[in-house]
Amino acid sequence: MVKNYVTKTKLRCCMTMVSLGLPGITVAVLGYTTNSWILCMSVLSIGIGFRAAIYIGHIGTVYDIAPSYSGTVYGFVSTIGNLSGFITPLLASALTKHDPHDVRGWRNLFWLSSGFYMAAALAFPLLVNQGPANFETENTQGYQLIGNEDFTIDAKNIRNCQDTHYFTCEQIVPDFIIQDL
């Protein structure tokens, strides 16, 4: 990326496809590894290992979209992503008909999971917007620090972290509360 071989958008899309596509394949294979627990654990470990690319992929996109609100946006994204933790046990119970030894039901669940992985891997490059969100660029009003009325900086300087003679980017000033002008 430093030598401009690949753009940030293409790198994020590629890593998202790796972090979702390859685990999608391993999840589909997982349903057919019923004879050997070692093979099952190996396939599962490989799939989870490729999930590490997600940090360069779609998780990094949150910071590109909303650097000032990345915590809030990431919390929203994680809430939606973690809904599967509530839905999957119900779905597994329905597909296996409450029989944990129903191999066909588990294979159907793994194929369904694989389909969701693949759909997400293909949808991300098509739907991702790497530019700042509208709410990120709308707020251009100045801010004032209470307790020091003559000190005013604008939102652009806050986002770009410009050092001033009052503080540097590394300092945290807990005594003052930032409020809109």
Side-chain angles (χ1 to χ4, degrees), residues 63-70 73 131-140 155 159:
Y63 304 108
D64 296 337
I65 292 172
S68 297
Y69 303 101
S70 59
V73 172
N134 290 340
F135 59 82
E136 184 69 33
T137 58
E138 285 176 357
N139 191 3
T140 58
R159 273 192 208 82

Side-chain angles (χ1 to χ4, degrees), residues 68 136-143 152-161 180:
S68 297
E136 184 69 33
T137 58
E138 285 176 357
N139 191 3
T140 58
Q141 296 179 7
Y143 291 93
T152 306
I153 54 177
D154 65 341
K156 182 178 179 184
N157 286 340
I158 290 174
R159 273 192 208 82
N160 294 332
C161 193
D180 291 327

Side-chain angles (χ1 to χ4, degrees), residues 103-118:
V103 175
R104 186 175 193 161
W106 285 108
R107 283 184 183 155
N108 289 338
L109 179 67
F110 290 142
W111 275 108
L112 185 64
S113 298
S114 178
F116 281 126
Y117 268 120
M118 294 301 184

Side-chain angles (χ1 to χ4, degrees), residues 143-149 151-152 167 173 176-179:
Y143 291 93
Q144 180 178 9
L145 293 174
I146 295 175
N148 194 356
E149 284 75 20
F151 178 56
T152 306
F167 65 94
V173 185
F176 298 107
I177 300 171
I178 297 178
Q179 76 179 40

Side-chain angles (χ1 to χ4, degrees), residues 15-144:
M15 290 296 112
T16 298
M17 291 179 78
V18 167
S19 71
L20 296 173
L22 293 175
I25 293 169
T26 60
V27 166
V29 170
L30 195 60
Y32 297 95
T33 60
T34 57
N35 295 332
S36 170
W37 69 270
I38 295 173
L39 181 60
C40 177
M41 293 304 293
S42 299
V43 169
L44 190 62
S45 297
I46 290 168
I48 290 172
F50 280 111
R51 291 281 295 157
I54 206 163
Y55 296 106
I56 300 171
H58 89 268
I59 290 179
T61 303
V62 171
Y63 304 108
D64 296 337
I65 292 172
S68 297
Y69 303 101
S70 59
T72 304
V73 172
Y74 184 73
F76 178 72
V77 169
S78 290
T79 300
I80 293 171
N82 287 318
L83 287 177
S84 64
F86 297 102
I87 296 169
T88 302
L90 300 172
L91 192 59
S93 179
L95 289 174
T96 60
K97 297 175 182 57
H98 303 286
D99 179 16
H101 302 289
D102 181 15
V103 175
R104 186 175 193 161
W106 285 108
R107 283 184 183 155
N108 289 338
L109 179 67
F110 290 142
W111 275 108
L112 185 64
S113 298
S114 178
F116 281 126
Y117 268 120
M118 294 301 184
L122 296 175
F124 183 84
L126 298 174
L127 302 175
V128 70
N129 178 10
Q130 291 289 330
N134 290 340
F135 59 82
E136 184 69 33
T137 58
E138 285 176 357
N139 191 3
T140 58
Q141 296 179 7
Y143 291 93
Q144 180 178 9

